[in-house]
Amino acid sequence: MATVTFSGAARIYPGLARPAVDALDLEIEDGEFLVLVGPSGCGKSTTLRMLAGLEPVDRGTIHIGERDVTKLSPKDRDIAMVFQSYALYPHMTVAENIGFHLKVKRMDRTQRAARVLEAARMLDLEEFLDRKPAKLSGGQRQRVAMGRAIVREPQVFLMDEPLSNLDAKLRVQTRTQIAALQKRLEVTTAYVTHDQVEAMTMGDRVAVLDAGVLQQCATPRDLFMNPTNVFVAGFIGSPAMNLLPATMSGAGSGATHGSLTVAVSTEQAAGATSEHVTIGIRPEAWRIEPGGTEGLTVDVMVVEELGSESFLYCAEPDQPIGGPQVVARAEGLSSNSVGDRVTLVPRPELVYLFDVGTGLRLGGPNPGTPAPPRSLSAPSTG
């Protein structure tokens, strides 16, 4: 096992105006499960491919442990990769697929069989060792791909959206298995996904990228509670944080959006580049008051009942059809109906302010710093 260190690493594709990955500084701790997440085209898969040696590094360096692997070929990096498409050999059995790399390395047959059986036991694949991939489910095929990586005993696991081809229920089950297995093996792991819920439930830390630039890297809890900028605030969380344009009159007089006014501290006022700010409030931070007078007045447009909770999708009065919505979470089955007019009152301690010019959080912390992995046997929601 080893740490992975990106130092100013960049990948620039010919003909593009900006780097696909730009000056990335990131360290993955020994034994850590780090998830790279962001919208399509943000550079997360390119980052993984640079680490794997499948993409060249145009600037900067990449180290695995003490070794500079920037110029090394993939076979010399001591990594194992799990792909979205499984990449299994259809004419080989499960056992042959898992042990293929060991066979290429000319490992003794007895030792190879023992290594394959150990991996199969970890992944509940013992009864399928003699089957061909065509006779396996999607989840079983993905576990075979995991087994092939495990038997190599690499320094680093790389996983590129390995659950994308699975249905929703199987994705939840398999991500739990992967996270628990990684904790058991204690292998440094870089995992790429476009699904922020998947990222938050699996990673020791989560690195959020946008347009090739690292926005913030922190624990799931810290990303959720302390976003460093408006992009991270709006990307992390489901449903997303409500982002409301507002005008700030200064410290003591607050920032106003429609009928809503929130307090502004001296520190926040001093950090703003103009009077224009963005108020950030998560759906669960609203208190719903039918007939209230102090807060944001909205009309309920859609009620999404989920059993244990409900989400109200609302619009401000006289807002044009198709305009921005405000989302509020209600406990259990909501007593509100479509067409109701309610007042949303935010919890003061859960109100965020962002500068419109820079996008940075006003009065907030700096981007998350590396933290040791959580000692969990299964993923947490953070």
Side-chain angles (χ1 to χ4, degrees):
M1 296 185 295
T3 59
V4 172
T5 306
F6 292 86
S7 299
R11 175 67 178 117
I12 306 169
Y13 290 110
L16 293 186
R18 61 174 177 80
V21 176
D22 192 5
L24 177 63
D25 290 314
L26 178 65
E27 183 166 310
I28 308 174
E29 300 292 336
D30 188 7
E32 181 179 25
F33 194 125
L34 182 111
V35 180
L36 297 161
V37 69
S40 179
C42 71
K44 56 188 183 295
S45 290
T46 301
T47 299
L48 200 74
R49 291 173 63 83
M50 290 164 63
L51 177 54
L54 302 176
E55 293 283 355
V57 179
D58 296 302
R59 290 197 298 259
T61 61
I62 299 176
H63 284 74
I64 297 179
E66 300 298 322
R67 292 192 307 146
D68 184 344
V69 301
T70 310
K71 303 298 183 182
L72 292 183
S73 65
K75 67 182 180 63
D76 297 323
R77 298 194 179 202
D78 197 12
I79 56 98
M81 195 159 183
V82 179
F83 296 93
Q84 175 182 344
S85 60
Y86 317 138
L88 302 179
Y89 296 106
H91 63 286
M92 294 183 182
T93 65
V94 168
E96 290 168 339
N97 266 285
I98 293 176
F100 180 74
H101 175 78
L102 305 181
K103 184 177 181 180
V104 171
K105 291 291 186 180
R106 300 186 182 279
M107 178 180 284
D108 173 75
R109 179 175 297 188
T110 302
Q111 187 179 359
R112 185 169 77 234
R115 188 88 69 84
V116 168
L117 183 60
E118 181 183 8
R121 284 173 177 162
M122 286 185 189
L123 297 163
D124 294 325
L125 290 172
E126 286 181 272
E127 62 182 293
F128 307 113
L129 287 174
D130 294 326
R131 291 191 189 180
K132 300 286 181 65
K135 296 184 178 181
L136 301 176
S137 69
Q140 290 164 348
R141 292 179 195 178
Q142 194 56 271
R143 297 210 304 272
V144 174
M146 287 284 297
R148 186 173 53 193
I150 289 170
V151 296
R152 298 181 63 172
E153 297 183 348
Q155 285 190 299
V156 182
F157 280 149
L158 307 180
M159 302 187 188
D160 190 6
E161 303 202 41
L163 308 184
S164 294
N165 289 337
L166 305 182
D167 63 60
K169 182 176 180 181
L170 192 55
R171 255 199 324 269
V172 173
Q173 176 185 339
T174 307
R175 77 188 185 201
T176 302
Q177 293 171 339
I178 289 176
L181 182 64
Q182 191 273 340
K183 291 289 180 261
R184 178 178 175 182
L185 297 173
E186 297 183 333
V187 177
T188 306
T189 301
Y191 185 104
V192 163
T193 181
H194 65 277
D195 184 340
Q196 58 94 9
V197 174
E198 193 172 292
M200 296 288 280
T201 55
M202 294 183 74
D204 294 318
R205 285 188 302 145
V206 178
V208 183
L209 287 89
D210 182 45
V213 177
L214 178 65
Q215 302 294 313
Q216 187 173 1
C217 183
T219 64
R221 181 182 297 273
D222 202 30
L223 279 181
F224 189 83
M225 297 301 297
N226 298 304
T228 191
N229 60 35
V230 72
F231 175 82
V232 176
F235 188 80
I236 297 298
S238 182
M241 179 184 287
N242 297 289
L243 298 172
L244 310 173
T247 302
M248 181 175 63
S249 302
S253 55
T256 301
H257 169 87
S259 59
L260 175 68
T261 299
V262 301
V264 177
S265 69
T266 302
E267 182 185 8
Q268 290 171 326
T273 59
S274 74
E275 63 180 1
H276 300 293
V277 295
T278 299
I279 299 172
I281 302 173
R282 295 201 181 277
E284 59 274 14
W286 293 113
R287 188 173 73 251
I288 303 169
E289 294 187 356
T293 57
E294 295 186 4
L296 184 64
T297 301
V298 295
D299 296 323
V300 179
M301 308 300 290
V302 176
V303 179
E304 190 177 73
E305 301 281 11
L306 300 178
S308 60
E309 60 187 0
S310 303
F311 290 101
L312 309 184
Y313 292 81
C314 309
E316 296 175 62
D318 303 322
Q319 177 178 282
I321 295 175
Q325 292 182 320
V326 178
V327 186
R329 176 182 178 271
E331 294 286 347
L333 298 176
S334 175
S335 60
N336 297 105
S337 303
V338 172
D340 288 353
R341 178 160 292 187
V342 298
T343 300
L344 303 179
V345 181
R347 293 165 56 186
E349 72 277 14
L350 294 179
V351 174
Y352 302 84
L353 284 181
F354 303 93
D355 184 77
V356 168
T358 64
L360 296 177
R361 179 178 164 197
L362 297 173
N366 292 321
T369 52
R374 293 173 290 161
S375 55
L376 298 177
S377 58
S380 166
T381 56

